[in-house]
Amino acid sequence: MNARLRDIEQLHLELPDLDWITDPNRIERLSQDFSWFSPVLKRQLEGKVADSVVRPRTEDEIRRLVAACARLKLPLTIRGSGTGNYGQTTPLAGGVVLDMTGYNGVLWTRPGVARAQAGIRLNELEKATRPTAWELRCVPSTFRSATLGGLFGGGFGGVGSINHGPLAAPGNVLGIKAMTIESEPQIVELRGAEAMRMHHLWGTNGLVLEIEVGLAPCQPWLETLVTFSDFDQAIAFADELARAPGLAKREVAFFASPVPDYLSQLAEHLPKGCHAVLSLVAEPGEEAMKEMVAARGGTVSYRRTADEVARSHKTLMEFTWNHTTLHALKVDKTLTYLQTSFTPGQHVQQITELTKRYAGEVFMHAEFLRTMDGQMSCSALQLVRFTTEARLAEIIREHREFGVRINNPHTFIVEDGKAGGDLPEEVVAVKRRFDPLGLLNPGKLRHHPVAG
C-alpha cells in the first residue's frame, strides 16, 4: 500500500497540470455508482475506494495519464457519471479513477449519425442533434447525467429500444476510437462488429475516447399513463401497443400492481392498487391509441404533449427502466431488483405466470423492446422484496429453471453478470490487445487475462 501511495504521489508530481481531485469525501463518492441498489453488492463493495481521481480534458492529457499509470503499474478505473448499478466504477484494487466527464465535446453531426467524445452527457448530445431533426436512438432513463461512454461501456438499452433494439444491435454504434493502456499508448479506430467487442464490458478491456452512433428522426412524443384494474387487460394492452406497426412509439413500459404504488411523484395519476402502462407515442397516433385503451377498459390518467414536456422539463422517461427501481427504493429500502429477458412470442404468458408465482415477493416491471433479430419482446426489471441473499439466489435460479434469462445484477464480476457465461475469445483478444498489463480495474473480470 505504501509503495502504491508513493507511486500516486509521483503521478501527481509528473502531471501537475491535470485536474486532480484530492478531497477524500469526493474521492470516495467518485469511487461508487448505484450498486447500492443491490444489498449483495453494497456489502461486497464496501470500503473499495480509489487512491486518487483525475478529470482530464483533452486527448493529450488522457494519453500522458495512461502512459504514466502504465509505467508505474497503477490500476486504472474508467468512470463516466457513475449511473451504473454493478460497481462498474468502483476500483476493486484502488489506484486511479479516470473521470471522463471533462472530455465531452460534440465532434460532428450528420443526417442519421453523430460522433462525440466519451464523456459527453447524453442529454447534451441530443441537444446538439435535435436542431437538425435527429435524436438518439436509445437512451437510458438516466439520460440527463449518463455519459455516452458510460452507455457504451455499461448500458444495454433504454428508451428507444422498442424500435432499434439493444445498443448492441447492428447500426446503433458505428465506430469508436480507443486507446491502449501501455507506456506508449496507441490510438485505434474500431468499426462495426469489432467496436462492439468493447461494448458492455464496463471499461475493463479498453479505454474508449470517441463514439459514433446512429440517430433516429425526431418525433413529437406524447407521454401518457394508462391505468387498469385488471392485470390481463393491462398486459394485453401494453403488448398490443408495442406491436402496433402503424403507431410510432419510443417507449412502452408495463407496471403490475403494486409497482405503481411506489411511484409517489405520480401518485395523483395512479390509483392505489392499479396496473399501469407508460408510453411515449407520436402525437399523430393518439386517436388510434385511445381506441385501443377503450377496447381494453383502460383509463388515460396522465397526458402531456411534446411541447408541454419541453416546457416543464419533466418527462415520464425518468420513471422507466432502472429509474423505476430508484423511485421504489426511495419509498421502501427493503426492495431490490432483477434483470430478466423473456422469450419473444411467449413473453406475455411468461410475465403472467411469473407474476402469479411470486405474488407478494417479486413485482413485475417490464420494458418492451426489439430483440437482436427484430422480434418484439420484453426485458423486465422486477422489484424484489429482499429477505436474504440465499433467497435472492434461489429466486434467480428458479427464474432460469422456468426458461427465462437472468442477467444477475447482484455480482460485480462481468462474466457472472452475463448469466454466468464466459467471454468470447474475440473479446478476450481485445482485452489482451488494449490492456496488455491488466491494469483496467483488476478483479472485475473473473479470469482477468493478462499478456505473458
Side-chain angles (χ1 to χ4, degrees), residues 41-52:
L41 292 181
K42 184 177 181 180
R43 173 183 61 79
Q44 293 177 339
L45 297 177
E46 186 175 4
K48 302 292 186 183
V49 180
D51 298 303
S52 189

Side-chain angles (χ1 to χ4, degrees), residues 92-120:
L92 302 177
V96 177
V97 163
L98 169 53
D99 183 335
M100 293 290 287
T101 57
Y103 189 67
N104 55 21
V106 177
L107 299 172
W108 48 260
T109 64
R110 299 169 187 160
V113 63
R115 190 174 178 109
Q117 293 172 339
I120 191 169

Side-chain angles (χ1 to χ4, degrees), residues 130-426:
R130 279 191 175 277
T132 61
W134 295 91
E135 64 187 17
L136 297 178
R137 289 185 177 186
C138 173
V139 295
S141 60
T142 53
F143 67 94
R144 293 191 198 274
S145 55
T147 63
L148 181 60
L151 175 63
F152 178 78
F156 161 73
V159 176
S161 288
I162 193 168
N163 299 316
H164 306 286
L167 196 65
N172 288 335
V173 175
L174 303 175
I176 64 173
K177 183 164 85 170
M179 179 181 290
T180 62
I181 309 300
E182 47 192 343
S183 57
E184 294 185 9
Q186 305 299 307
I187 303 295
V188 182
E189 177 79 12
L190 301 176
R191 306 295 299 179
E194 190 177 17
M196 301 313 290
R197 292 170 189 165
M198 280 193 187
H199 167 56
H200 218 248
L201 271 296
W202 298 278
T204 59
N205 69 339
L207 170 53
V208 176
L209 299 173
E210 299 174 7
I211 305 171
E212 189 175 317
V213 294
L215 304 175
C218 287
Q219 297 264 21
W221 299 116
L222 177 77
E223 300 194 356
T224 64
L225 290 171
V226 181
T227 61
F228 298 83
S229 59
D230 183 83
F231 175 95
D232 291 336
Q233 295 294 335
I235 187 62
F237 166 74
D239 186 53
E240 289 171 358
L241 178 61
R243 290 187 294 105
L247 287 176
K249 58 198 79 78
R250 200 181 192 192
E251 167 70 14
V252 175
F254 169 71
F255 306 126
S257 177
V259 176
D261 296 345
Y262 292 112
L263 305 180
S264 57
Q265 294 179 43
L266 300 174
E268 64 180 297
H269 309 288
L270 297 170
K272 189 76 172 176
C274 75
H275 312 284
V277 177
L278 181 158
S279 71
L280 274 67
V281 172
E283 290 178 3
E286 181 177 13
E287 184 177 356
M289 183 187 72
K290 288 172 69 175
E291 290 179 357
M292 296 170 64
V293 172
R296 290 291 179 180
T299 301
V300 178
S301 62
Y302 178 100
R303 175 189 180 276
R304 296 289 185 276
T305 65
D307 285 343
E308 289 171 334
V309 171
R311 288 196 300 270
S312 69
H313 301 291
K314 295 180 180 179
T315 169
L316 290 182
M317 290 163 57
E318 292 178 295
F319 292 88
T320 64
W321 293 85
N322 234 358
H323 247 78
T324 308
T325 311
L326 177 61
H327 288 293
L329 281 166
K330 290 179 179 178
V331 176
D332 186 347
K333 297 188 185 304
T334 70
L335 297 172
T336 186
Y337 73 114
L338 296 179
Q339 292 181 326
T340 307
S341 296
F342 299 105
T343 305
Q346 301 177 37
H347 52 281
V348 171
Q349 178 186 354
Q350 290 173 335
I351 286 171
T352 302
E353 292 186 15
L354 287 171
T355 300
K356 291 177 181 177
R357 177 181 296 194
Y358 293 98
E361 187 176 25
V362 181
F363 313 135
M364 186 58 66
H365 160 210
E367 296 281 347
F368 284 80
L369 78 165
R370 295 277 175 193
T371 62
M372 288 288 285
D373 61 359
Q375 299 182 77
M376 184 59 65
S377 189
C378 290
S379 284
L381 294 155
Q382 304 102 308
L383 299 177
V384 181
R385 190 168 301 288
F386 179 76
T387 52
T388 67
E389 292 186 20
R391 176 55 182 157
L392 183 60
E394 186 178 34
I395 291 171
I396 291 172
R397 176 181 56 77
E398 290 172 353
H399 274 69
R400 288 172 173 163
E401 290 174 352
F402 182 75
V404 299
R405 179 186 176 94
I406 294 280
N407 289 316
N408 186 3
H410 303 285
T411 176
F412 60 82
I413 302 298
V414 171
E415 297 97 324
D416 295 346
K418 297 178 181 295
D422 289 327
L423 298 180
E425 177 54 38
E426 60 267 23

Side-chain angles (χ1 to χ4, degrees), residues 431-433 435-438 448-452:
K431 169 71 173 178
R432 292 195 181 103
R433 176 185 180 189
D435 185 23
L437 302 174
H448 191 54
V450 178

